[in-house]
Amino acid sequence: MAVVNVGSEMGSVSQAYLDSQAMKEARSLISELCRQFYTLGWVSGTGGSITMKVHDSSIAKPQQLILMSPSGVQKERMEPEDMYVLSGDGAIISSPSPKPYPHKPPKCSDCAPLFMKAYHMRNAGAVIHSHGIESCLATMIDPHSKEFRITHMEMIKGIQGHGYYDELVIPIIENTAYENELTDSLAKAIEAYPKTTAVLVRNQGIYVWGDSWISAKTQAECYHYLFDAAIKLHQLGFDWSTPDHGPIRSDRVPGVDCNVSKKARTMDSNCNLKSLPRCIVLDIEGTTTPISFVTDVLFPYAQNNVGRHLSATYASAETQEDIKLLRSQVEDDLKQGVIGAVPIPSEDSGKEEVIAALVANVEAMIKADRKITALKQLQGHIWRTGFENNELKGIVFDDVPEALEKWHASGVKVYIYSSGSRLAQRLLFGNTKFGDLRKYLSGYFDTAVGNKREIRSYFEITETLGVDKPSEILFLTDIYQEAIAAKAAGLEAIISIRPGNGPLPDNHEFKTINSFFEI
């Protein structure tokens, strides 16, 4: 074995680590696993590969050494000394010595850049690349599908984070002439599917990772089982992607997500293909979130904590800016005779008197449900404290997280447009019982862009999003007047029907939905 620049590449890692028993055992283990995988048809014809971290409890996982099988060799005949050793950042520390003819000179796996993505993006402990025929055929049943989906199969329980009743979703990326050219598309798939532990490559194979070699191997076996099951069910005319695995309907492509395909296409209720919009803009109240959450939880929390918040943060630059905006708003309100507006005394009157006047004005604004920046900005700061103290938790309808994930995976850009401040929007979607949903959102609009019932607001959004045509934007709202304004600006508008929403005018002529799954 040739050792290269051990000192400079290893950094704080000792030579003892390189020569450790753990290293020797890991080398032998990769050889053994490759022989097993060969018998399974995963690494025949010198294809496929395996890599794993060499465990050392004294070294943080990202810095642990990496063993990697070489490229272009008979995997079933590999020996422990044939492995490459890499640092945690992917630099080659040692390589195997050349073997006599007819062996080719040693070469590190062509999959190395892809393996490193799993190590760096998912903190993996091992990665397996298989060319098993099942993984190839599973991607070929529908050449336009960007996902493989299956549910209600026992072996789904062997996939990290999944149970029998769950739908297992695996992204599919397109193959290229050279393995390393897949690196960017694999990284994008890993980012777009935070729950996945595998990525399929069409007509080629699969990459599977786990916290350890045991986890990666177990999941790889389960994935191949599920692919084989799907292929056999397909041959029998049964649909593997539905809970009952009944006969495949003539109007449906099984295993294809009804919301995702090659060119951001989806299917209607009968699973007929249709196009998804380029951008989706979502209202919050009555659309993603029950109106009752805003009226019964957020507004009362802000109202009950105005005085406490202002007193605790009075001297901060942020709160002083909030007070400045409120003063300006109240001055305008007084000139216009707005009910509930009371003068705010000067700073010379003392902190307590200023706060008391601010509280009175804010309470009146909240009671009138005013959509003004001064109020929304202060509310956002109060809610931030509530979320940070775990006194608040964002609520969204159950269909929202999955729909956001699917749209995101389809390449659709999703935005929020709410009368609540952008800070409040980020807080709500960043702190839900489903976790942080902000990774599926591309941006936020609030009243700074304009009133939601004014046409010019939607012109402004169209300009900001930079689409060629306003009709490429779909706006979802529960408010008829907002839908009217959006439609007048050229956007497609759909009205959301949710529990607790207000009635709509008769013959309003807008399409309505009860769930995001209908998009």
Side-chain angles (χ1 to χ4, degrees):
M1 178 181 67
V3 179
V4 182
N5 295 329
V6 172
S8 61
E9 297 289 354
M10 294 281 285
S12 61
V13 180
S14 66
Q15 180 67 41
Y17 181 20
L18 192 63
D19 298 331
S20 66
Q21 183 65 27
M23 175 70 71
K24 295 175 183 177
E25 291 175 354
R27 287 176 176 275
S28 297
L29 179 59
I30 290 182
S31 299
E32 179 186 347
L33 290 175
C34 280
R35 286 192 289 274
Q36 293 181 19
F37 295 163
Y38 178 80
T39 64
L40 294 171
W42 294 2
V43 294
S44 56
T46 78
S49 191
I50 182 173
T51 175
M52 66 178 66
K53 293 277 183 91
V54 181
H55 179 70
D56 186 320
S57 57
S58 66
I59 299 173
K61 192 173 183 180
Q63 282 75 53
Q64 290 175 358
L65 292 180
I66 298 169
L67 283 179
M68 200 171 290
S69 60
S71 180
V73 301
Q74 306 293 319
K75 296 297 190 298
E76 78 279 12
R77 297 180 61 85
M78 286 195 311
E79 300 295 334
E81 60 267 20
D82 293 334
M83 307 306 156
Y84 278 81
V85 181
L86 286 72
S87 64
D89 61 5
I92 296 177
I93 292 173
S94 67
S95 55
S97 300
K99 292 184 176 182
Y101 179 86
H103 297 282
K104 295 180 180 179
K107 178 185 177 184
C108 192
S109 175
D110 290 333
C111 305
L114 292 91
F115 289 151
M116 296 309 299
K117 290 297 182 182
Y119 283 133
H120 292 159
M121 297 178 71
R122 291 298 175 83
N123 197 28
V127 191
I128 296 170
H129 177 41
S130 160
H131 286 302
I133 188 63
E134 307 96 330
S135 58
C136 292
L137 293 178
T139 70
M140 298 167 69
I141 297 173
D142 176 48
H144 298 303
S145 174
K146 288 296 186 182
E147 296 174 344
F148 172 87
R149 290 173 172 260
I150 191 167
T151 187
H152 285 65
M153 294 288 289
E154 179 67 14
M155 295 299 272
I156 293 176
K157 292 161 61 176
I159 306 302
Q160 179 180 313
H162 290 77
Y164 172 77
Y165 296 104
D166 291 330
E167 182 182 43
L168 176 65
V169 182
I170 310 167
I172 302 173
I173 61 176
E174 301 303 318
N175 195 20
T176 58
Y178 300 98
E179 200 93 34
N180 57 16
E181 293 177 351
L182 292 167
T183 306
D184 288 344
S185 55
L186 180 130
K188 290 178 181 177
I190 291 175
E191 183 178 8
Y193 291 77
K195 194 176 181 180
T196 192
T197 56
V199 173
L200 281 161
V201 184
R202 196 180 312 280
N203 307 342
Q204 200 251 42
I206 188 172
Y207 286 84
V208 182
W209 56 88
D211 295 335
S212 66
W213 71 268
I214 293 177
S215 173
K217 176 178 178 289
T218 300
Q219 292 184 92
E221 292 170 349
C222 292
Y223 280 123
H224 282 79
Y225 175 96
L226 293 167
F227 299 148
D228 187 44
I231 293 164
K232 290 176 178 176
L233 285 168
H234 178 67
Q235 291 171 337
L236 293 170
F238 295 117
D239 189 344
W240 64 89
S241 63
T242 58
D244 60 0
H245 303 304
I248 297 172
R249 300 203 316 261
S250 60
D251 62 347
R252 191 179 188 281
V253 181
V256 179
D257 171 25
C258 285
N259 290 304
V260 181
S261 66
K262 189 171 184 180
K263 293 183 178 179
R265 295 182 299 173
T266 186
M267 298 184 182
D268 60 22
S269 59
N270 294 316
C271 247
N272 298 311
L273 285 173
K274 62 179 182 179
S275 294
L276 279 170
R278 183 174 171 184
C279 301
I280 296 177
V281 179
L282 301 173
D283 170 51
I284 293 180
E285 294 179 61
T287 303
T288 67
T289 300
I291 291 177
S292 59
F293 173 67
V294 178
T295 58
D296 298 345
V297 178
L298 289 184
F299 282 177
Y301 183 89
Q303 185 171 349
N304 295 336
N305 288 276
V306 174
R308 184 179 73 169
H309 174 80
L310 292 175
S311 295
T313 63
Y314 190 80
S316 69
E318 181 179 80
T319 295
Q320 285 300 310
E321 178 62 25
D322 290 344
I323 293 173
K324 181 179 178 181
L325 280 176
L326 285 167
R327 282 185 181 277
S328 177
Q329 182 66 56
V330 170
E331 287 175 3
D332 289 341
D333 291 347
L334 290 170
K335 291 176 182 177
Q336 297 175 23
V338 174
I339 296 174
V342 298
I344 301 174
S346 66
E347 295 293 332
D348 297 337
S349 302
K351 171 181 172 181
E352 288 74 17
E353 290 191 26
V354 171
I355 291 176
L358 289 169
V359 169
N361 280 287
V362 169
E363 287 181 346
M365 292 174 181
I366 293 175
K367 184 177 181 180
D369 191 20
R370 298 184 64 187
K371 314 294 187 183
I372 49 178
T373 301
L375 173 63
K376 298 303 179 181
Q377 180 169 299
L378 176 63
Q379 285 177 319
H381 294 151
I382 297 172
W383 292 330
R384 180 181 60 198
T385 301
F387 283 110
E388 289 175 349
N389 294 338
N390 290 319
E391 296 172 349
L392 291 173
K393 201 74 174 176
I395 295 179
V396 296
F397 293 109
D398 289 346
D399 57 286
V400 171
E402 185 175 345
L404 291 178
E405 182 179 358
K406 289 179 180 179
W407 293 338
H408 179 77
S410 304
V412 177
K413 301 294 185 182
V414 182
Y415 301 84
I416 302 298
Y417 181 26
S418 171
S419 57
S421 69
R422 288 182 295 174
L423 169 61
Q425 297 171 32
R426 291 192 294 268
L427 289 169
L428 191 156
F429 289 101
N431 298 275
T432 77
K433 69 175 184 179
F434 301 99
D436 190 344
L437 302 180
R438 292 174 298 180
K439 56 181 172 286
Y440 304 125
L441 301 175
S442 297
Y444 308 86
F445 297 100
D446 61 11
T447 51
V449 81
N451 188 288
K452 295 180 68 182
R453 302 189 182 197
E454 296 180 1
I455 299 173
R456 64 179 181 85
S457 302
Y458 300 92
F459 282 127
E460 183 67 26
I461 289 175
T462 301
E463 290 293 321
T464 302
L465 298 187
V467 297
D468 294 329
K469 301 176 182 177
S471 59
E472 294 178 316
I473 304 172
L474 168 62
F475 177 56
L476 290 175
T477 179
D478 66 312
I479 303 298
Y480 172 69
Q481 292 84 352
E482 294 177 2
I484 288 288
K487 182 179 180 180
L491 281 68
E492 180 184 356
I494 294 177
I495 295 181
S496 172
I497 306 295
R498 300 286 197 177
N501 287 10
L504 294 172
D506 294 335
N507 304 318
H508 57 75
E509 297 184 352
F510 281 97
K511 177 182 177 181
T512 62
I513 59 169
N514 295 282
S515 165
F516 284 0
F517 293 146
E518 299 174 46
I519 300 298

